[in-house]
Amino acid sequence: MAKKETAPYKIYLTENELPTSWYNLRADMKTKPAPLLHPGTLQPLKFEDMQPIFCDELIKQELDNETQFIPIPEPVMDFYKMYRPSPLVHAEFLEKLLDTPAKIYYKFEGNNTSGSHKLNSAIAQAYYAKAQGLKGVTTETGAGQWGTALSMACSYFDLDCKVYMVKVSYEQKPFRREVMRTYGANVTPSPSMDTEVGRRINAEHPGTTGSLGCAISEAVEVAVSTPGYRYELGSVLNQVLLHQSIIGLETKAACDKYGIVPDIIIGCAGGGSNLGGLIAPFMGEKLRGEKDYRIIAVEPASCPSFTRGKYVYDFADTGKVCPMAKMYTLGHDFIPSANHAGGLRYHGMSPVLSELYHEGLMEARSYEQTAVFDAAVQFARVEGILPAPESAHAIKGAIDEALKCKETGEEKIIIFGLTGTGYFDLVAYQKYNDGEMSDYIPTDEDLAKGFASIPDIGL
Amino acid sequence: MAKKETAPYKIYLTENELPTSWYNLRADMKTKPAPLLHPGTLQPLKFEDMQPIFCDELIKQELDNETQFIPIPEPVMDFYKMYRPSPLVHAEFLEKLLDTPAKIYYKFEGNNTSGSHKLNSAIAQAYYAKAQGLKGVTTETGAGQWGTALSMACSYFDLDCKVYMVKVSYEQKPFRREVMRTYGANVTPSPSMDTEVGRRINAEHPGTTGSLGCAISEAVEVAVSTPGYRYELGSVLNQVLLHQSIIGLETKAACDKYGIVPDIIIGCAGGGSNLGGLIAPFMGEKLRGEKDYRIIAVEPASCPSFTRGKYVYDFADTGKVCPMAKMYTLGHDFIPSANHAGGLRYHGMSPVLSELYHEGLMEARSYEQTAVFDAAVQFARVEGILPAPESAHAIKGAIDEALKCKETGEEKIIIFGLTGTGYFDLVAYQKYNDGEMSDYIPTDEDLAKGFASIPDIGL
């Protein structure tokens, strides 16, 4: 191999080096991820089953386990260039602080107004809705990252965007709400009185502050019952991982350009959209037997779907309006302890990643949140970026691996995903700064309650 | 001239194209900016006069009207590479929206955790404090951009950072406060009971929510009375414009690389740090008679120091603890109407820019804030970045010029400075979204009250 140029501190690919197709990891998986099941019939969902809910082209992508590369439509490429490529940064200030022989790089996805990688799939999903001639889309949002991303994407394509925002977040995170409104979205606190399911939940639980499961149910009901609308989702689904492969493809291209060959790739894992995207082309090489990498998923100890969950069919949502997915799950009734700050609170995990983990192709570990915020602040002070609490899980994982290298003297190359910024998570940082942050690891009894909600369908 | 490569949507200079010196515009000014005066003696401030307040090297820069280029110290260059170069972006989506033949570019300084260009001078000032062996620095902050930038810079160099934050902001902008605390700064609501001036103001005005003038007084008192501390300021001063020249130098280098020759350069103007930095090398060419550019300062109609102020000596701060500066001023007692959102609320203007404006080398105009927020939202929805209210003044200026081109059919090239993001300004956006934003143009009587506070020293 020809000697490569020395990599700069931040690697930005040039426009003609940018990926022009998404990479569909499923095409290279020997065992495909288990299909979504219809909860009534327990049969794999077919195109027609999903059509009332999702855009046609997105259903095709959801079901396509064969096509390796799917071209990125021109209008999506146009939008990508507004905030992509994202930089692959050599974290030399962090290396110096840790005094480690390891080389640490991070792919930073936070330099856009949605503040995270969510925009990569939001713009694709909005595009396909527009291309299908739809009038608008619905979705739910908890903390607001996905809702913000979809609002921005819909604004760009002049689509209506109805966001059901978990009521407690709507009230406690007014700034996220205002960003969405600024981009023209209609943001409704959930449960609302606009939907049947919302009215029912409000009647059954007066004064409830809502949940993601309930917000999903409302968004799906509105999508299905409003002509010209569909529902869009920001994680877990195969189509989302497909779009997020742009993260990994850019990372791989930057590595190849400068001859960087990672030993370890680390990402935080909630529903799996970022991790699945980051690792896609690397995992592809691993699946095809071309190269080997250690791949590590990092999750919160308070929501440990990989490390303590079961690999079975479960409902994708608390409200049981969505299909069933085979995945690592804590049970659809599982809710992380109230002291858990930030995202990564989904009870399950992407079916693609679940299958790969099940086959032993990747590792997983969990951290308690105080340790995660320690890592976040350590990173922020030397690398200058205030990370999202979710991203800080990956930072903590990278720091731990770099410190192991310090002990062994190994010069391993570590890449981690810095998914977003923490500008809207300052209530959590304040708790940390005030010494009021606490940890909670669910007991086996806590987990047993969640597991009890998993339907026994013998799969 | 050889034909240049076509510019990409975003121009990022490579590491070896980055400026390695700051450009001191004063060296090319025939009439130098008027010196700061000692308020007691009315004599120009000398090095020794400033030594108790500012770092030695920064005083030298403040007084140096001759050296054209000042090398950027290596540790500052190291820090710059974490968030610089900032991109020069071709706003083609905005052009399309406006249907204008004009070409619009913006230099985006918001991609860092401080959210603005303020970091460019903060890291320089922190470096010189560290190099002088100081223990820490003090400053004041209103909305919090400068305080955040200085906190980040001090954290990097392991310096103490004491920030006096206007009490009303401390209470209403807790998120900015938490970012500063996360970077290890000590943030005190001002007026506090820690300082003589704070105790006096609290006694005279029980329950006061503070002002920038009062916070400056506290920060200066603490700097002067604490061994090993100095005071640092984020705008207005010559040294700040020097450091901010990095904005203009990068812009110029990007333009030269791709053969872009701007006709009009537009920046928002509060104290002048961004505008002075952006225009520096272009104004230098203009001063040396090499090229001509239209340069436009945009300010809020509610704080119109250029467009309605007087060019005289005035106190630099409301509390009259700082020296006097010859500048366009509304009088140091002038306070913008309570409905004014965002920054750009300083009563005066950088002496460098004031002299240039006085000589007719640049233009100025003012806009009311509702029109500015209209422009902000228009821009956000097509270009994807939620701008700071301050930066939106420049957007409005650029849109207006581009619309003029639409009328005349001229293909003018417009460059404007997008100084920062609006992630911490969502209370203002909420007001706008709710239709509750109002405008207020000070009457001549309002201005007369401010003018009355200007000391009559016959200069």
Side-chain angles (χ1 to χ4, degrees), chain A residues 96-394:
Chain A
K96 202 171 140 193
L97 177 77
L98 302 174
D99 189 23
T100 174
K103 297 284 170 244
I104 310 173
Y105 296 84
Y106 59 90
K107 180 71 169 167
F108 180 41
E109 291 287 320
N111 267 352
N112 68 74
T113 290
S114 82
S116 82
H117 66 292
K118 295 280 181 185
L119 203 49
N120 300 332
S121 185
I123 191 64
Q125 295 191 41
Y127 166 73
Y128 289 118
K130 186 71 180 180
Q132 193 173 326
L134 296 176
K135 190 164 175 285
V137 299
T138 73
T139 198
E140 77 295 328
T141 201
Q145 275 183 346
W146 167 247
T148 308
L150 195 61
S151 302
M152 290 176 67
C154 287
S155 157
Y156 181 76
F157 284 123
D158 199 19
L159 277 170
D160 280 1
C161 182
K162 288 184 194 295
V163 181
Y164 287 85
M165 186 171 188
V166 177
K167 194 179 274 176
V168 62
S169 298
Y170 182 91
E171 284 160 3
Q172 291 183 358
K173 294 206 162 187
F175 288 179
R176 279 273 190 214
R177 180 186 78 208
E178 288 310 319
V179 180
M180 291 185 257
R181 290 182 69 209
T182 302
Y183 282 89
N186 182 318
V187 187
T188 306
S190 167
S192 73
M193 296 303 277
D194 302 356
T195 65
E196 221 167 277
V197 64
R199 286 188 292 272
R200 178 162 55 78
I201 291 171
N202 272 313
E204 285 171 9
H205 308 276
T208 178
T209 54
S211 74
L212 209 54
C214 165
I216 293 177
S217 310
E218 290 205 274
V220 171
E221 179 185 324
V222 172
V224 170
S225 60
T226 314
Y229 279 74
R230 292 295 185 281
Y231 167 72
E232 305 205 317
L233 181 65
S235 192
V236 184
L237 296 175
N238 297 340
Q239 58 185 272
V240 178
L241 266 73
L242 172 71
H243 307 146
Q244 294 295 357
S245 70
I246 188 78
I247 305 173
L249 291 166
E250 279 186 11
T251 304
K252 185 77 172 56
C255 284
D256 289 348
K257 182 172 177 179
Y258 292 104
I260 299 162
V261 182
D263 297 290
I264 308 172
I265 302 165
I266 300 172
C268 60
S273 71
N274 144 69
L275 180 67
L278 173 65
I279 67 171
F282 300 98
M283 182 61 88
E285 290 186 312
K286 192 164 169 166
L287 287 168
R288 296 190 304 270
E290 294 162 12
K291 265 189 195 149
D292 198 18
Y293 304 100
R294 270 184 73 203
I295 292 172
I296 306 174
V298 185
E299 57 185 17
S302 51
C303 192
S305 41
F306 264 148
T307 50
R308 297 175 72 194
K310 294 184 178 179
Y311 188 42
V312 290
Y313 266 101
D314 190 11
F315 283 99
D317 66 315
T318 322
K320 299 198 264 190
V321 301
C322 291
M324 301 176 79
K326 188 174 180 188
M327 57 184 178
Y328 279 85
T329 177
L330 298 164
H332 60 268
D333 275 358
F334 179 85
I335 293 175
S337 150
N339 72 344
H340 174 83
L344 310 181
R345 48 174 64 241
Y346 184 61
H347 67 275
M349 182 58 67
S350 138
V352 169
L353 295 183
S354 291
E355 178 57 31
L356 295 168
Y357 180 63
H358 179 65
E359 293 179 29
L361 290 158
M362 51 187 279
E363 307 164 33
R365 69 176 62 152
S366 71
Y367 290 114
E368 295 174 57
Q369 68 179 355
T370 307
V372 166
F373 273 78
D374 286 342
V377 172
Q378 217 175 3
F379 177 84
R381 291 193 181 182
V382 293
E383 292 285 332
I385 297 168
L386 187 77
E390 299 81 37
S391 322
H393 287 77

Side-chain angles (χ1 to χ4, degrees), chain A residues 9-10 15 81-82 92-93 113 152 156 177-178 181-183 380-381 383-384 386 430 433-434, chain B residues 9-10 15 81-82 92-93 113 152 156 178 181-183 380-381 383-384 386 430 433-434:
Chain A
Y9 172 70
K10 273 182 294 192
E15 278 188 11
K81 75 178 176 183
M82 277 205 252
E92 52 185 67
F93 302 95
T113 290
M152 290 176 67
Y156 181 76
R177 180 186 78 208
E178 288 310 319
R181 290 182 69 209
T182 302
Y183 282 89
R381 291 193 181 182
E383 292 285 332
L386 187 77
Q430 179 171 2
N433 291 335
D434 288 342
Chain B
Y9 173 69
K10 273 182 293 192
E15 278 188 10
K81 75 178 177 184
M82 278 204 253
E92 51 185 68
F93 301 96
T113 290
M152 291 176 67
Y156 182 75
E178 288 310 318
R181 289 183 68 208
T182 302
Y183 282 89
R381 290 192 182 183
E383 291 285 331
L386 187 77
Q430 180 170 2
N433 291 335
D434 288 341

Side-chain angles (χ1 to χ4, degrees), chain B residues 35-81:
Chain B
L36 299 175
L37 295 191
H38 189 291
T41 65
L42 299 188
Q43 292 303 305
L45 279 190
K46 291 193 297 287
F47 183 87
E48 310 79 67
D49 298 327
M50 299 195 220
Q51 231 178 350
I53 304 179
F54 297 119
C55 302
D56 293 357
E57 199 59 35
L58 291 167
I59 302 172
K60 283 185 206 159
Q61 295 180 353
E62 191 64 29
L63 295 172
D64 185 346
N65 287 339
E66 307 305 329
T67 314
Q68 205 177 15
F69 287 96
I70 294 178
I72 304 172
E74 197 65 33
V76 175
M77 285 294 290
D78 271 352
F79 189 90
Y80 275 174
K81 75 178 177 184

